[in-house]
Amino acid sequence: MKLFVLTMVCVFLQVSHQNPTGHWTLLPHILVVEAPCDQMPLRCLEQPAELLRKDAKIEDIFWRKDGNEKEQKGNTYTLEECLGGNFTCHSKDGSLLNHTVVLIQDNETNRRRDENLNCSATNYNGEFLCSWPKLTGLGGKVAFIKARRVSDNYETQCSVDKSGRRWTCSSGQSNLICSVDKKKKRKRKISCRDEQHCPFTEESQHIDITVYVWRKYFYLDNYSKRFLLSEIVKPDKVEISKVNNTTIQWSYPSSWSSPYSYFPLSFEIAQLRRGCERCKDLCGNIKSTETLTFNSSDVCQFRVTQRRTKVVCVRAKDALCDSPWSEWSHIRMS
């Protein structure tokens, strides 16, 4: 079928300026409408007189939603229900004139999901990971990512590459790159990097990140978080080995920032008299018996002080910030 094209026409369906409903363009061809969607009009052509054939009429334009023809005719289509979908408008002979995807955003629901983005970093090199909850039965894919260093003086511009998985958000304060995990089982995760971050300077601006997720039935959810890297840094697990029957040693995680004198870790040690052979988490729900801080050495030693100790557990955290502890590591003494 013949497609009518005008090089100056906007690439998404135009929304009437008289429309009282909140709406915004997520990407070309993708329009977000905020609930409630009271009688919101969509416009097929910006300048229909120039686009239609001489023998065509505005009244002949018909509409389809998800491939199903609708009763409404003409250049304007009014959303009768607050339901999203793939809307297309066609000339009398069926030729495609324009199209867009309408996503519905429930702001009340999204407010309840604010701060549901879980982010963590294993060091201070500017890289971090974020994940969001799984909503049973709704599926979802990343539709848009916005990340920036918080500042009132710079505007952030975000773009996505051809794969739809790699996003770049640039401003005068930062250049953040985020990638969606390619693995299907981990599609609710993204990895990001601030290319302008310097680990040896104090952070003066928070990172503000929002992930927009396209759910089933054309709903749009968003998950947001604002943080400093020093608030989310969580070291990897330490590796423990035996020196002799009463002494153990461990080193800083290989992924941790160096020099260790500038990025010291605190280590928490727990000595257990039980040694469950089948337990998966020997160090869960325990209270530490001693806390040590090492400021420069990358190899740390500890002599077991309690008799009949069967298991020693060690974990680490940034010694200078109130950030999360690493997961426990353990070693059996007998």
Side-chain angles (χ1 to χ4, degrees):
M1 293 183 293
K2 183 178 179 181
L3 176 63
F4 298 95
V5 179
L6 181 65
T7 57
M8 298 300 293
V9 71
C10 191
V11 292
F12 54 88
L13 286 176
Q14 301 297 312
V15 181
S16 173
H17 294 292
Q18 288 74 36
N19 171 35
T21 303
H23 62 271
W24 48 281
T25 301
L26 184 69
L27 287 169
H29 301 291
I30 301 180
L31 184 71
V32 179
V33 179
E34 299 173 358
C37 323
D38 297 332
Q39 299 295 306
M40 175 181 165
L42 300 177
R43 191 164 58 192
C44 178
L45 303 175
E46 185 177 13
Q47 297 176 326
E50 297 181 15
L51 292 175
L52 292 176
R53 296 177 304 176
K54 294 181 180 180
D55 60 343
K57 297 180 180 180
I58 299 299
E59 295 78 15
D60 293 332
I61 294 177
F62 68 93
W63 293 78
R64 288 184 177 135
K65 177 187 176 185
D66 302 328
N68 299 316
E69 187 169 343
K70 309 299 289 185
E71 293 183 0
Q72 293 189 45
K73 305 288 184 180
N75 194 48
T76 301
Y77 180 91
T78 302
L79 292 179
E80 299 170 333
E81 299 177 305
C82 201
L83 296 174
N86 185 12
F87 291 84
T88 58
C89 57
H90 306 260
S91 61
K92 186 177 181 179
D93 64 1
S95 298
L96 178 66
L97 297 176
N98 211 343
H99 74 284
T100 197
V101 172
V102 174
L103 301 178
I104 305 301
Q105 185 178 47
D106 186 342
N107 288 328
E108 290 298 324
T109 301
N110 282 317
R111 272 192 283 270
R112 293 195 296 270
R113 290 173 184 161
D114 191 28
E115 295 295 325
N116 275 352
L117 196 64
N118 182 30
C119 299
S120 64
T122 58
N123 52 45
Y124 284 101
N125 68 359
E127 297 181 356
F128 58 93
L129 299 174
C130 293
S131 61
W132 52 94
K134 179 180 180 181
L135 298 182
T136 304
L138 290 181
K141 65 178 182 179
V142 174
F144 197 85
I145 297 174
K146 185 175 183 179
R148 65 189 180 103
R149 287 282 185 176
V150 178
S151 174
D152 294 332
N153 300 323
Y154 299 94
E155 182 178 354
T156 302
Q157 299 291 337
C158 297
S159 60
V160 62
D161 67 2
K162 294 181 180 180
S163 71
R165 293 182 176 274
R166 182 182 173 89
W167 300 80
T168 301
C169 294
S170 301
S171 70
Q173 289 287 332
S174 62
N175 185 33
L176 283 140
I177 297 177
C178 295
S179 299
V180 181
D181 200 305
K182 295 181 180 180
K183 297 181 180 179
K184 186 176 181 180
K185 293 183 179 180
R186 299 177 61 187
K187 62 183 179 180
R188 290 180 290 107
K189 295 183 178 181
I190 59 173
S191 57
C192 300
R193 182 177 74 256
D194 184 354
E195 294 193 327
Q196 295 184 12
H197 173 70
C198 177
F200 299 100
T201 58
E202 183 178 358
E203 283 183 284
S204 59
Q205 301 290 344
H206 286 72
I207 293 175
D208 191 344
I209 183 168
T210 301
V211 180
Y212 295 90
V213 181
W214 182 340
R215 298 292 187 187
K216 194 176 180 181
Y217 308 118
F218 294 94
Y219 283 103
L220 185 73
D221 289 341
N222 61 272
Y223 301 93
S224 303
K225 194 174 184 68
R226 179 175 293 189
F227 56 86
L228 297 171
L229 289 176
S230 58
E231 297 172 341
I232 66 166
V233 67
K234 180 180 178 180
D236 284 330
K237 295 173 66 173
V238 301
E239 295 185 4
I240 313 174
S241 61
K242 279 186 183 181
V243 176
N244 52 48
N245 290 335
T246 59
T247 304
I248 64 169
Q249 71 176 16
W250 65 91
S251 60
Y252 275 55
S254 59
S255 59
W256 186 247
S257 300
S258 61
Y260 301 142
S261 58
Y262 194 86
F263 300 99
L265 289 176
S266 293
F267 297 95
E268 192 172 36
I269 303 168
Q271 303 174 75
L272 307 181
R273 293 185 178 182
R274 56 179 175 83
C276 177
E277 294 292 336
R278 297 182 179 180
C279 294
K280 294 182 179 180
D281 186 9
L282 290 172
C283 306
N285 299 320
I286 62 174
K287 295 182 178 180
S288 64
T289 58
E290 187 171 357
T291 301
L292 303 176
T293 302
F294 298 83
N295 294 323
S296 60
S297 175
D298 60 339
V299 177
C300 314
Q301 289 192 353
F302 174 77
R303 188 173 185 275
V304 177
T305 58
Q306 295 184 5
R307 294 183 179 182
R308 300 179 182 178
T309 295
K310 293 185 176 182
V311 176
V312 179
C313 301
V314 181
R315 64 179 181 175
K317 71 180 292 293
D318 190 326
L320 305 179
C321 299
D322 185 17
S323 53
W325 285 97
S326 71
E327 300 299 323
W328 287 102
S329 298
H330 72 273
I331 189 170
R332 297 179 184 273
M333 300 303 295
S334 61

